[in-house]
């Protein structure tokens, strides 16, 4: 399964980067979203996949029993998801404001407004 | 906004009215059990803010703000202060910042209570504050 | 410990200097001079202990685990330097208060010069290579400020920048050299390094470390071919030239070489580089000193020559040479400091620095003339001056050198003879002979302007007449430090008739000849177009070409890499990553093994992944914004399901909630955003597709490479074992977030708060 996910992550990266290289700013946002999914999934897969054994200590036990899913990547990803939301919101709002002011969604046009 | 208000279906507004208290209760449940079961401040905060965001779609931002009573921006500050304060408690005991301290006896309903839990409450409030600040500001455009 | 406090207080005083000056006004120079005077007394009180052979060593831990400490090490060498820095510093401060009286930025001047003094003292007192380097750079920085003090003049700014760039590049080389030295010796403490010369000289790091350190020292001490910044630095106010650019800062390179000579010295490479470079500088500097007519530039070139002599002597490394070097160091600081201050006083009174237009000033300013005369005596190496003693020692060292003593002595006589002529030009010509200048109100400059030169010039004589009081003990301890073994030096004015004395006599005759022949020599130089040739091929031209090249390179790479088009930045980043990361990927497993690992996937897992793939394609290909948002949502829910299946319920819940909120967010905004438009042409799309696929393929390959190696996490077992016992929580992920790594989480929620504030500010706070 990890090989399948490796291919999926590669696909997500390719799609995300492709979208980010578009001239339209809205596509940039979609690309950013795809890229953050790809990165989270990458870290998750790198921590190795364990089916159905969440890192929860069973009642009565003192410690986690093998095998268990690695809790550390999970903690990293959890905050990354929430921060990703914050960043995406910021990007969306920034782009919205830029669009309102500049009146174009073409990044090449925006570069020109810079020079005015 | 007038036209949109009219478009909001009766079903959504009715459902939201009954769902909101349930979802809020659920978010607190998720927050409190987070230390031992899946959940915690991040998830709890997201659930609560999703509930309030839904409410703001159904009844408008003004209504949602009245419902919340506190400005979400204030929640961010309060949450951060609680999180930092929970870390300072251990410093008062001469331990490093953010060392966990626990109340010896188990309390009814809450179980073991300690500063990490307080910290999680801070996270919970920050998440609600952040999400709602963004959503409300966008809706009011 | 008190010395460290003293350094801190010096910097504090520097910071407060502008305010203090505003309070003290006219008297500020005298008041500020009290501080270096106090330093002189403190250092002087240490002298007894150091002279008795007991060096002072203080250590204040800074980054101990890296071997970096603020430690102070005071032996004879540091003592001599520290006394010169503080003693001359006091005189220069008194002088400056009057020289720059009513200057708009005099307060600022005090700041810079006190900053310099603290840094220079720190440099010579440092017992750790890194702290020494920090002070070294601080002296370059304060020199930059002081050369560019008259920042409204373009020449001053250019000279300041030039000095900064040249010494700064040398500083970088020095840092690399010092680190190599520390690597080879296993310590950065100078006291410890001094004990392991043998190991260091045989280390493979020796040659590169030596070369780099020599570059650092040569740039700082203006050795050919890095010398050109020093004459240009004469743009600084004259007290700065006297203090930084003749008496102290330019000797930092000499100090460094002398300090490290017990460790690095004695090898053929050392002698070739240090003694050879010094010899060339000595001769060329002296020749170039005959050229200019500006008093300060003449003095600057003669300083270059003397710095060359000092470097040469350190490079030679014999006991005689060390003796000569320390004596010359002392002599030069006295006479050159005095002559610069005299030049400044003359400039201050008459406003002329051109030697061709000065003459007969002695009758109007007898005290200044006396100071100049005494200093010139020392510079020319005539008895009874310390300059005479040091020149005798120089000849003795050259005559006793192991290799080609005759040649060395010959060059010595040539350079010294030229300096005799220069001493005549700057020390005698303006004051004696017919008065050229007929200004009516010519008079002696005020006390504060002649006190410094008179004391320095007088000291050059007094030290020679009674050497046993101060000069001999000071130089003995300094020589002991340079040689790394206790040595007793007895300076004497009269050695009786010996070869050195004969050479001295020859020098005076040659000097008189050069003095008389100077106009003729200049004429020859002019006819040979020497100036034009230097402007075309000299090292200064090289410096200018280098700067032009650097600017051209910066412009070119900015045009290429920073086009202003976001996607080109992205492409460059992606291409670089593919090149750097992709080239390292090796996949050790055969393809068939992967296949087996694809097959182990459960059908429902595969369905989720396939759905995600379809949604991704849809997000990329659709022309509807809403469809793209929905597709992105599907991908997110798919990821959440995967989390759920592989033991991460917390992640799954978070992802579901965030995905819902993202959809709400995008729906709120999406109608106010422009429709998707196809802006790129076909070829651009193909190019981007190829690039994106390459990047994605690289990520897949990278993951496969990592996955084929077993994971040995030491963190996971720790959290697994201690989550409940230490942190009283059964959900390990949550325990990590709120307890083990709570500080990280605190940082992350702060980031979230900042993002929210950003959004709020963008939307609500508008300046219409």
């Amino acid at each position: 399964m990890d090989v399948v996910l490796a291919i999926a992550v590669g696909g997500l990266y390719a799609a995300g980067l492709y979208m980010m290289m578009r001239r339209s700013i809205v596509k940039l946002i979609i690309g950013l979203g795809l890229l953050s999914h790809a990165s989270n999934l990458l870290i998750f897969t790198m921590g190795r996949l364990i089916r159905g054994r969440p890192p929860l200590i069973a009642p009565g036990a003192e410690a986690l029993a093998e095998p268990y899913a690695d809790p550390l990547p999970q903690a990293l990803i959890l905050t990354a998801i929430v921060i990703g939301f914050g960043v995406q919101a910021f990007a969306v709002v920034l782009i919205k404001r830029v669009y309102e002011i500049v009146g174009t969604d073409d990044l090449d046009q925006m570069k020109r407004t810079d020079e005015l | 906004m007038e036209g949109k208000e009219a478009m909001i279906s009766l079903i959504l507004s009715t459902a939201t009215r009954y769902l909101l208290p349930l979802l809020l209760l659920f978010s607190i449940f998720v927050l409190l059990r987070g230390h031992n079961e899946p959940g915690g401040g991040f998830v709890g905060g997201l659930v609560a803010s999703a509930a309030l965001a839904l409410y703001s779609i159904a009844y408008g931002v003004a209504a949602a703000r009245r419902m919340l009573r506190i400005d979400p921006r204030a929640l961010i500050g309060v949450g951060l202060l609680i999180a930092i304060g929970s870390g300072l408690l251990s410093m008062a005991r001469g331990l490093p910042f953010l060392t966990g301290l626990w109340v010896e006896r188990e309390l009814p309903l809450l179980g073991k209570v300690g500063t990490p839990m307080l910290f999680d409450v801070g996270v919970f409030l920050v998440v609600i504050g952040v999400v709602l600040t963004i959503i409300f500001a966008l809706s009011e455009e | 410990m008190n010395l460290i406090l003293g350094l801190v207080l010096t910097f504090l005083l520097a910071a407060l200097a502008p305010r203090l000056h505003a309070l003290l006004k006219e008297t500020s120079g005298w008041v500020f001079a009290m501080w270096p005077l106090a330093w002189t007394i403190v250092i002087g009180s240490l002298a007894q202990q150091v002279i008795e052979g007991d060096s002072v060593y203080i250590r204040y831990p800074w980054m101990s685990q890296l071997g970096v400490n603020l430690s102070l090490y005071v032996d004879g060498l540091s003592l001599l330097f520290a006394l010169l820095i503080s003693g001359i510093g006091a005189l220069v401060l008194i002088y400056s208060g009057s020289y720059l009286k009513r200057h708009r930025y005099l307060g600022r001047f005090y700041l810079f010069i006190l900053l310099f003094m603290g840094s220079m003292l720190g440099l010579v007192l440092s017992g750790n290579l890194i702290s020494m380097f920090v002070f070294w750079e601080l002296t370059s920085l304060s020199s930059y400020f002081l050369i560019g003090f008259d920042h409204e003049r373009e020449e001053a700014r250019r000279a300041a920048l030039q000095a900064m760039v040249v010494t700064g590049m040398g500083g970088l080389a020095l840092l690399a050299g010092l680190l190599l030295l520390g690597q080879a010796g296993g310590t950065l403490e100078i006291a410890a390094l001094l004990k392991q010369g043998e190991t260091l000289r045989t280390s493979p790091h020796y040659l590169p470390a030596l070369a780099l350190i020599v570059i650092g020292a040569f740039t700082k001490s203006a050795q050919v071919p890095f010398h050109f910044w020093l004459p240009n630095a004469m743009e600084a106010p004259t007290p700065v030239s006297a203090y930084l650019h003749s008496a102290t800062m330019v000797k930092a390179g000499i100090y460094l070489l002398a300090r490290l000579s017990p460790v690095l010295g004695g090898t053929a490479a050392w002698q070739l580089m240090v003694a050879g470079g010094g010899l060339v500088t000595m001769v060329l500097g002296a020749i170039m000193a005959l050229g200019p007519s500006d008093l300060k530039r003449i003095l600057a070139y003669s300083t270059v020559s003397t710095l060359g002599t000092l470097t040469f002597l350190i490079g030679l490394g014999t006991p005689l040479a060390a003796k000569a070097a320390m004596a010359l160091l002392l002599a030069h600081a006295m006479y050159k400091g005095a002559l610069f201050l005299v030049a400044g006083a003359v400039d201050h009174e008459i406003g002329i620095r051109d030697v061709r237009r000065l003459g007969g000033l002695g009758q109007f300013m007898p005290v200044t003339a006396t100071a100049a005369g005494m200093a010139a005596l020392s510079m020319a190496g005539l008895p009874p001056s310390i300059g005479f003693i040091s020149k005798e020692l120089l000849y003795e060292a050259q005559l006793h050198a192991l290799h080609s003593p005759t040649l060395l002595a010959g060059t010595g006589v040539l350079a010294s003879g030229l300096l005799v002529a220069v001493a005549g030009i700057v020390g005698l010509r303006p004051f004696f002979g017919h008065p050229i200048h007929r200004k009516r109100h010519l008079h002696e400059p005020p006390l504060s302007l002649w006190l410094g030169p008179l004391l320095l010039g007088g000291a050059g004589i007094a030290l020679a007449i009674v050497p046993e009081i101060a000069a001999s003990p000071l130089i003995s301890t300094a020589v002991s430090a340079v040689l790394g073994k206790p040595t007793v030096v007895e300076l004497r004015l009269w050695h009786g008739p010996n070869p050195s004395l004969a050479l001295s006599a020859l020098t005076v005759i040659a000097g008189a000849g050069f003095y008389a022949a100077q106009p003729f020599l200049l004429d020859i130089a002019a006819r040979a177009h020497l100036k034009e040739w230097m402007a075309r091929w000299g090292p200064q031209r090289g410096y200018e070409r280098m700067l032009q090249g650097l600017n051209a390179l910066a412009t070119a790479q900015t045009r290429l890499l920073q086009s202003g088009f976001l996607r080109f930045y992205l492409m460059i980043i992606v291409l670089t990553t593919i090149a750097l990361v992709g080239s390292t990927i090796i996949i050790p497993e055969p393809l068939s093994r992967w296949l087996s690992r694809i097959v182990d996937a459960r059908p429902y897992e595969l369905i989720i992944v396939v759905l995600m793939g379809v949604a991704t394609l849809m997000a990329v290909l659709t022309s509807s914004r809403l469809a793209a948002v929905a597709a992105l949502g599907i991908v997110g829910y798919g990821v959440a399901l995967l989390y759920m299946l592989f033991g991460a319920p917390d992640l799954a819940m978070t992802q579901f909630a965030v995905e819902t909120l993202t959809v709400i967010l995008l729906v709120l905004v999406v109608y106010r955003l422009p429709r998707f438009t196809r802006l790129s042409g076909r070829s651009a799309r193909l190019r981007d597709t190829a690039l994106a696929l390459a990047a994605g393929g690289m990520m897949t390959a990278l993951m496969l490479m990592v996955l084929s190696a077993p994971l040995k996490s030491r963190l996971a077992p720790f959290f697994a074992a201690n989550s409940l016992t230490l942190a009283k929580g059964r959900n390990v992920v949550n325990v990590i977030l709120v307890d083990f790594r709570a500080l990280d989480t605190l940082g992350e929620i702060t980031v979230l708060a900042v993002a929210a504030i950003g959004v709020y500010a963008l939307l609500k706070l508008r300046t219409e």
Side-chain angles (χ1 to χ4, degrees):
Chain A
M1 185 59 192
D2 48 0
V3 174
V4 178
L5 282 190
I7 295 165
V9 167
L12 282 173
Y13 266 111
L17 285 173
Y18 178 79
M19 290 298 266
M20 287 178 80
M21 281 187 277
R22 300 300 86 214
R23 274 162 67 179
S24 153
I25 43 175
V26 186
K27 291 187 177 175
L28 184 74
I29 299 178
I30 304 286
L32 207 61
L34 290 171
L35 206 69
S36 69
H37 286 320
S39 304
N40 288 341
L41 214 48
L42 171 98
I43 299 173
F44 190 66
T45 315
M46 289 291 102
R48 301 302 187 271
L49 301 174
I50 307 281
R51 279 196 188 85
R53 298 289 305 233
L56 300 168
I57 298 173
E62 277 286 298
L64 271 184
E66 296 269 359
Y68 52 85
D70 192 339
L72 187 64
Q74 294 195 17
L76 293 177
I77 297 168
L78 203 147
T79 48
I81 295 171
V82 183
I83 288 192
F85 173 77
V87 169
Q88 198 170 19
F90 184 75
V92 165
V93 169
L94 187 66
I95 280 168
K96 176 174 170 297
R97 289 288 295 142
V98 168
Y99 178 60
E100 281 169 9
I101 291 168
V102 183
T104 175
D105 66 326
D106 183 351
L107 283 163
D108 286 16
Q109 297 282 330
M110 282 184 202
K111 192 206 170 217
R112 232 152 278 151
T113 59
D114 207 46
E115 286 158 0
L116 286 177
Chain B
M1 286 308 261
E2 290 297 314
K4 258 191 202 168
E5 297 271 336
M7 277 163 58
I8 303 288
S9 74
L10 191 65
I11 300 167
L12 178 63
S13 54
T14 318
T16 309
R17 180 173 301 162
Y18 293 105
L19 269 176
L20 179 70
L22 274 176
L23 280 172
L24 287 181
L25 261 178
F26 177 66
S27 75
I28 292 172
F29 168 71
V30 167
L31 161 72
L32 292 181
R33 74 168 203 160
H35 214 54
N36 292 314
E37 299 290 328
F42 280 107
V43 188
L46 288 169
V47 171
S49 36
L52 283 160
L54 215 58
Y55 190 83
S56 80
I57 291 175
Y59 291 95
V61 179
R65 278 191 189 278
R66 275 197 303 277
M67 178 85 207
L68 187 63
R69 289 212 182 86
I70 317 165
D71 188 328
R73 282 178 300 159
L75 280 180
I76 302 178
V78 172
L80 275 177
L81 282 178
I82 291 179
I84 294 168
S86 78
L88 290 177
L89 280 177
S90 62
M91 286 181 84
R93 287 271 195 91
L95 294 165
F97 182 55
L98 283 169
T99 311
L101 297 176
W102 295 89
V103 178
E104 288 297 318
R105 262 190 20 218
E106 294 212 1
L107 297 181
L109 277 176
L110 293 174
K112 275 257 177 212
V113 173
T115 54
M117 221 154 197
L118 203 58
F119 183 85
D120 222 8
V121 172
V123 173
F124 177 79
L125 293 178
V126 172
V127 171
I128 297 180
V130 167
V131 175
L132 290 183
T133 302
I134 295 171
I135 300 263
F136 284 179
L138 268 173
S139 312
E140 280 165 347
E141 276 288 287
Chain C
M1 229 3 81
N2 289 331
L3 287 177
I4 294 183
L5 187 69
L7 285 176
V8 173
L9 285 177
T10 308
F11 289 121
L12 202 66
L13 183 68
L16 296 176
R19 310 246 16 116
L20 284 174
H21 169 65
L23 288 175
L24 298 165
K25 296 197 177 70
E26 305 275 297
T27 55
S28 54
W30 290 91
V31 176
F32 283 126
M34 293 303 119
W35 185 246
L37 202 63
W39 263 105
T40 317
I41 294 166
V42 170
I43 300 283
S45 70
L46 284 174
Q48 197 56 40
Q49 182 191 347
V50 175
I51 285 169
E52 278 163 15
D54 204 7
S55 50
V56 180
Y57 185 46
I58 309 163
R59 227 171 88 172
Y60 179 77
W62 181 12
M63 292 180 277
S64 293
Q65 60 274 49
L66 293 176
V68 178
N69 296 304
L70 178 58
S71 44
L72 299 188
Y73 178 69
V74 189
D75 63 358
L77 187 64
S78 343
L79 187 80
L80 179 61
F81 269 92
L83 277 177
L84 288 177
I85 295 161
S86 53
I88 298 179
L91 296 176
V92 162
L93 277 171
I94 293 173
Y95 186 94
S96 306
S98 179
Y99 185 81
L100 291 171
K101 191 157 75 183
R102 284 190 283 279
H103 193 289
R104 259 173 81 200
Y105 298 124
L106 179 52
R108 204 182 283 178
F109 179 85
Y110 287 127
L111 191 169
F112 297 147
I113 207 145
L114 286 167
L115 172 69
F116 165 76
M117 199 183 83
S119 323
M120 192 68 205
L121 281 169
L123 198 171
V124 299
L125 297 177
S126 272
N128 184 286
L129 292 180
I130 299 300
S131 61
M132 185 185 78
F133 173 76
V134 171
F135 287 121
W136 175 286
E137 290 294 287
L138 273 174
T139 61
S140 293
L141 189 71
S142 40
S143 159
Y144 169 77
F145 286 133
L146 285 166
I147 298 172
F149 182 64
D150 283 332
H151 60 266
E152 276 153 23
R153 282 187 307 116
E154 202 202 334
E155 304 85 56
R157 292 199 304 271
R158 195 183 298 154
L161 188 65
Q162 189 182 57
M164 181 77 160
V165 170
V166 174
T167 54
M169 286 194 318
L172 283 179
L174 174 68
L175 178 62
L178 293 180
L179 290 176
L180 277 178
L181 190 64
Q183 196 89 52
T187 173
L188 291 165
E189 292 293 311
I190 290 172
L193 279 171
L194 286 179
K195 288 187 194 112
Q196 39 182 317
E198 208 51 53
T199 14
L200 289 171
R201 279 191 293 272
T202 50
S203 148
H205 288 326
Y206 173 73
L207 261 186
L210 174 66
L212 289 165
I213 290 172
V214 165
I215 291 176
F218 274 28
T219 52
K220 194 82 165 181
S221 286
Q223 300 295 297
V224 174
F226 306 114
H227 65 281
F228 55 90
W229 71 264
L230 185 57
N232 293 335
M234 295 300 119
E235 295 293 340
T238 307
V240 174
S241 310
Y243 191 33
L244 273 73
H245 302 123
S246 81
T248 59
M249 189 190 84
V250 287
K251 300 222 174 78
I254 311 291
Y255 169 80
L256 180 75
L257 292 173
R259 165 61 74 221
L260 294 176
S261 69
V263 182
L264 299 176
T267 63
W270 165 276
Q271 287 188 342
L272 185 73
M273 276 192 251
V274 181
L279 200 65
V280 171
T281 308
M282 171 173 95
V283 175
L284 288 183
I287 293 174
M288 288 188 284
L290 283 186
S293 53
D294 177 275
L295 265 180
K296 286 180 69 179
R297 286 186 82 86
I298 302 174
L299 288 170
Y301 279 114
S302 72
T303 305
V304 169
S305 171
T306 308
L307 290 170
T309 314
L310 286 167
T311 308
F312 160 74
L313 287 167
I314 303 282
L316 208 57
T318 58
L320 275 173
K323 218 191 281 185
M326 291 304 111
L328 179 57
L329 182 85
L330 184 64
H332 179 255
M334 300 285 149
Y335 75 68
K336 196 54 71 64
L339 285 175
F340 264 116
L341 293 180
V342 165
V346 168
D347 188 19
H348 190 258
E349 292 307 308
I350 318 178
I352 297 175
R353 287 194 333 223
D354 188 335
V355 277
R356 290 168 305 188
R357 294 171 55 207
L358 292 170
L361 292 174
Q363 51 187 295
F364 304 109
M365 29 180 93
V367 186
T368 313
T370 311
M374 289 192 293
L377 204 65
S378 196
M379 180 174 179
L382 295 171
S385 69
I386 183 96
F388 172 72
I389 298 182
S390 72
K391 192 183 53 172
E392 297 278 286
L393 286 170
L394 165 69
Y395 288 152
E396 212 177 316
Q398 286 175 326
L399 287 172
H400 288 87
L402 285 174
H403 300 290
S404 42
T406 328
L407 178 74
L408 291 182
T411 47
V413 171
L414 173 66
S416 304
L418 286 165
L419 289 188
V420 170
V422 173
I425 292 169
V426 297
L428 302 180
R429 200 186 277 178
F431 296 98
F432 301 98
H434 297 292
I436 301 175
H437 205 80
R438 307 206 180 277
K439 197 174 168 183
R440 249 167 292 166
H441 303 295
L442 269 185
H443 54 76
E444 191 76 55
L447 163 76
S448 42
L449 287 189
W450 58 251
L451 181 70
L454 193 71
L455 283 179
L456 287 173
I461 307 290
L463 284 173
I465 292 176
V466 277
E468 60 277 6
I469 292 183
S472 289
L474 270 179
I475 286 173
S476 298
T477 47
V479 169
S480 311
V482 176
L483 295 176
K485 56 177 181 248
T487 313
V488 177
V489 181
E490 279 188 32
L491 301 177
R492 243 174 282 141
L493 255 182
W494 180 246
H495 284 270
N498 61 8
S500 301
L501 194 66
L503 286 182
S504 277
L506 190 62
T507 309
V508 176
I509 296 166
F514 288 134
Y515 183 84
Q518 191 221 8
F520 179 64
L521 290 173
L522 281 183
D523 197 41
I524 292 179
R527 258 189 245 155
H529 301 289
L530 206 60
K531 224 175 215 167
E532 291 76 10
W533 191 85
M534 278 301 284
R536 249 182 107 175
W537 304 105
Q540 172 140 359
R541 174 83 176 145
Y543 164 82
E544 280 156 12
R545 291 293 290 272
M546 187 204 76
L547 278 196
Q548 282 165 4
L550 198 66
N551 277 334
L553 182 71
T555 314
Q557 73 93 18
T558 308
R559 282 226 183 95
L560 181 72
L561 297 179
Q562 307 191 12
S563 52
F565 295 104
L566 179 68
R567 60 180 187 286
F568 287 129
Y569 292 96
L570 258 174
M571 277 178 212
I572 288 161
I573 294 171
V574 170
L575 272 175
T576 316
T577 316
I578 292 177
L580 292 180
V581 179
S583 60
T584 64
I585 292 179
I586 324 149
I587 297 174
E589 282 182 84
L591 276 170
S592 56
R593 288 270 288 280
W594 302 357
L595 217 58
S596 70
R597 277 156 71 181
I598 295 180
V599 175
D600 83 329
R602 310 261 161 90
Y604 52 87
E605 294 167 356
L606 285 178
I607 292 171
I608 294 170
V609 174
V610 168
L611 272 178
M612 281 168 61
V614 173
T616 309
L617 271 179
M618 188 166 109
V620 173
L621 297 175
T622 181
S623 57
S624 147
R625 293 160 300 176
L626 209 56
V629 169
L632 187 63
I634 294 173
V635 176
Y637 285 124
V639 174
L641 280 173
L642 288 174
Y643 291 148
M644 186 69 117
L645 292 173
F646 291 96
D650 290 279
L651 292 190
M653 289 165 76
T654 314
Q655 186 74 57
F656 276 125
V658 161
E659 223 44 63
T660 311
L661 283 167
T662 308
V663 170
I664 293 177
L665 175 87
L666 290 177
V667 167
L668 277 175
V669 192
V670 84
Y671 282 109
R672 275 170 260 180
L673 287 176
R675 291 181 173 284
F676 273 9
T677 37
R678 182 160 285 182
L679 293 166
S680 316
R682 196 181 161 77
S683 62
R685 288 207 305 276
L686 274 175
R687 176 197 62 200
D688 294 348
T689 311
L691 194 60
L693 284 177
M698 184 201 72
M699 292 311 288
T700 301
L702 186 69
M703 286 178 74
L704 290 178
M705 181 172 110
V706 176
L707 287 170
S708 62
L711 175 71
K712 276 219 165 68
S713 171
R714 282 177 300 160
L715 290 170
F718 170 83
F719 292 130
N722 294 313
S723 176
L724 186 61
T725 44
L726 286 182
K728 306 189 174 25
R730 294 182 179 276
N731 179 357
V732 183
V733 176
N734 186 265
V735 168
I736 294 175
L737 285 173
V738 299
D739 200 326
F740 287 128
R741 307 296 310 162
L743 194 62
D744 295 350
T745 311
L746 186 61
E748 277 144 3
I749 57 178
T750 312
V751 172
L752 272 182
V754 172
I757 292 167
V759 169
Y760 188 84
L762 276 172
L763 290 174
K764 297 267 177 173
L765 313 174
R766 297 191 183 173
T767 48
E768 298 298 339

